């Protein structure tokens, strides 16, 4: 029987870590016990702001804390593999930010290690745990839009040009695909429930050598298609369209959506609201905690083999575009 409160640690005190800590604070059976930063001062500030008991001046000290049950890895993706491995080595369950790693080889190695240690591990694909996604999965399973035939989804914004930033710097595994293309891709995997059998795509590779915009088409079993795009220098509509033989679902801002339009049986599209509480980061935390309490080492809504297959798809797309990071 697990204790009443699950003790969390947060590794890396950056932008997303603040948001996660806020979401986590709404869960009564969660306690943010400790945070870890490369800087003691930064950890102390973060701990004070989010009422964490302990502030660690290194990731190693955080991972070694014997009272922590699970660590949220909130560093940029080039460090996910090393940071997650450190936590697993210290027998901690891990919820690791998206994209899971930089490439499939890194993911496969981490997954094998977590399985060997029988520890919980999950990619923090927060989108999948939103109420609107629960609604979508239910409508699809009830056959409200018939057989799903096609999915269209785009995610892109015009970021300020800065060749040093993690969006544009190839040494930091920059580019639109890994940073935000992961959302439409992960949605396609969720809706079609398997890896694609074929794919194609084109990218505009900018002066720093990473994909500034890209469009890709994936074909799944039975001829189902996903038509997707992502960009870091072009503003795109953040909308997902799921098209079936008997209707469709449209989800505005699908990666953190709060409503969906269902068109079913030839009737006028109807709007359904799926409000979220707090900032929405608590849903993925809740899911991880449910798994821990149930003794699961993976969560059924974001299983490890799927995170690996998604990384493989991103590797395949990058290979089509001739995009290899300098450290690969
Ligand atoms: N789910 C979402 O909605 C969402 C949104 C944005 C980002 N993300 C993901 O969250 C992760 C972090 O993104 P972020 O925007 O929070 O990043 P960030 O603020 O730039 O960096 C996060 C933290 O990573 C740590 N870090 C460790 N090594 C680093 C290095 N060599 N250079 C820079 N930072 C380093 C730093 O923490 P310390 O200084 O404390 O050690 C830094 O504050 C990424 O994987 C990103 O894709 C998810």
């Amino acid at each position: 029987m697990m204790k009443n409160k699950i003790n969390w640690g947060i590794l890396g005190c950056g932008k997303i870590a603040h948001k996660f800590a806020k979401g986590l604070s709404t869960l009564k059976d969660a306690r943010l016990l400790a945070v870890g930063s490369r800087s003691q001062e930064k950890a102390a500030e973060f701990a004070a702001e989010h009422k964490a008991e302990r502030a660690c001046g290194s990731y190693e000290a955080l991972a070694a804390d014997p009272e922590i049950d699970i660590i949220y890895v909130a560093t940029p993706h080039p460090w996910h593999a090393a940071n997650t491995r450190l936590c697993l080595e210290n027998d901690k369950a891990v919820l690791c930010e998206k994209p899971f790693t930089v490439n499939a080889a890194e993911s496969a190695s981490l997954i094998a290690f977590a399985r060997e240690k029988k520890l919980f591990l999950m990619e923090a694909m927060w989108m999948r745990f939103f109420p609107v996604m629960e609604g979508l999965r239910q409508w699809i399973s009830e056959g409200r839009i018939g057989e799903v035939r096609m999915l269209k989804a785009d995610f892109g914004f015009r970021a300020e040009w800065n060749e040093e930033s993690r969006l544009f710097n190839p040494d930091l595994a920059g580019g639109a695909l890994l940073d935000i293309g992961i959302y439409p891709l992960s949605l396609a995997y969720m809706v079609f429930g398997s890896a694609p059998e074929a794919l194609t795509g084109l990218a505009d590779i900018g002066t720093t050598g990473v994909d500034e915009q890209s469009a890709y088409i994936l074909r799944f079993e039975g001829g189902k298609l996903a038509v997707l795009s992502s960009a870091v220098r072009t503003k795109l509509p953040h909308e997902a369209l799921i098209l079936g033989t008997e209707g469709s679902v449209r989800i505005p801002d699908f990666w953190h959506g709060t409503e969906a339009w269902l068109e079913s049986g030839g009737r006028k599209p109807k709007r359904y609201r799926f409000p979220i509480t707090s900032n929405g980061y608590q849903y993925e935390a809740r899911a991880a905690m449910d798994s821990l309490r149930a003794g699961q080492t993976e969560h059924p809504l974001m299983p490890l083999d799927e995170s690996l297959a998604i990384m493989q798809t991103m590797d395949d797309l990058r290979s089509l575009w001739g995009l290899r990071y300098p450290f690969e």
Side-chain angles (χ1 to χ4, degrees):
M1 184 75 179
M2 209 154 185
K3 54 197 180 213
N4 287 340
K5 290 218 183 213
I6 288 184
N7 287 333
W8 282 82
I10 292 183
L11 186 153
C13 296
K15 293 189 280 291
I16 201 67
H18 280 283
K19 293 184 185 172
F20 183 83
K22 184 171 178 242
L24 190 68
S25 70
T26 65
L27 300 180
K28 289 197 171 56
D29 57 340
R31 174 166 59 156
L32 177 56
L33 183 68
V35 299
S37 168
R38 294 162 303 165
S39 140
Q40 180 65 51
E41 198 187 342
K42 194 171 163 188
E45 266 175 35
F46 191 101
E49 185 177 342
H50 296 285
K51 301 186 176 58
E53 262 175 48
R54 301 172 195 169
C56 309
S58 75
Y59 298 160
E60 287 73 15
L62 176 81
D65 187 322
E67 283 192 71
I68 293 175
D69 300 305
I70 179 164
I71 295 180
Y72 168 62
V73 170
T75 52
H77 53 275
W79 296 283
H80 286 177
N83 297 155
T84 297
R85 181 168 284 271
L86 171 71
C87 300
L88 295 171
E89 278 166 356
N90 284 272
D91 296 317
K92 302 299 186 300
V94 179
L95 174 66
C96 175
E97 256 308 333
K98 47 55 62 176
F100 197 39
T101 56
V102 166
N103 54 40
E106 283 187 357
S107 288
S109 159
L110 269 191
I111 291 169
F113 189 47
R115 285 181 175 156
E116 186 190 316
K117 302 265 297 180
K118 299 188 172 47
L119 288 166
F120 175 82
L121 175 61
M122 185 172 90
E123 179 186 6
M125 179 37 77
W126 72 321
M127 169 187 80
R128 288 197 179 194
F129 301 94
F130 268 60
V132 72
M133 289 295 153
E134 222 175 281
L136 172 64
R137 289 189 294 265
Q138 193 179 335
W139 286 338
I140 291 174
S141 72
E142 289 169 357
R144 300 279 285 273
I145 60 169
E147 185 200 353
V148 180
R149 296 294 302 153
M150 195 182 287
L151 181 150
K152 292 182 172 199
D154 311 285
F155 191 171
F157 49 79
R158 185 164 172 83
E160 202 175 311
W161 173 255
N162 172 3
E163 58 186 29
E164 297 303 320
S165 88
R166 69 177 177 81
L167 289 182
F168 298 101
N169 187 342
D171 292 324
L172 303 181
L177 179 67
L178 263 67
D179 193 57
I180 50 178
I182 178 99
Y183 285 102
L185 256 185
S186 192
L187 182 69
Y189 265 80
M190 188 191 91
V191 166
F192 293 127
S194 64
E197 54 182 33
L199 56 77
T200 187
L202 285 170
D204 172 34
I205 305 292
T207 52
T208 60
V210 304
D211 57 309
E212 292 187 7
Q213 58 176 355
S214 44
Y216 26 100
I217 301 177
L218 287 65
R219 193 182 69 227
F220 293 82
E221 199 184 1
K224 298 163 185 180
L225 294 180
V227 183
L228 316 172
S229 70
S230 43
V232 288
R233 286 288 283 164
T234 313
K235 196 174 171 201
L236 302 178
H238 294 170
E239 190 166 270
L241 266 175
I242 299 95
L243 305 150
T245 51
E246 312 294 332
S248 65
V249 180
R250 183 169 69 80
I251 309 179
D253 290 319
F254 70 94
W255 57 285
H256 61 168
T258 53
E259 64 175 48
W261 294 77
L262 172 67
E263 187 252 293
S264 181
R267 287 182 294 277
K268 235 173 64 181
K270 189 172 166 199
R271 179 194 203 185
Y272 291 82
R273 291 178 197 275
F274 294 92
I276 62 161
T277 54
S278 185
N279 62 5
Y281 286 92
Q282 73 278 12
Y283 296 119
E284 60 181 359
R286 168 86 276 147
M289 286 164 60
D290 288 347
S291 278
L292 287 188
R293 291 192 189 285
Q296 294 171 338
T297 50
E298 303 188 28
H299 194 281
L301 284 182
M302 190 65 260
L304 291 169
D305 284 341
E306 205 168 318
S307 288
L308 174 62
I310 291 169
M311 275 325 303
Q312 185 60 57
T313 297
M314 296 202 285
D315 281 7
D316 293 345
L317 286 168
R318 287 199 293 121
S319 152
L320 274 180
W321 307 334
L323 171 48
R324 234 177 122 85
Y325 295 116
F327 52 84
E328 286 184 303

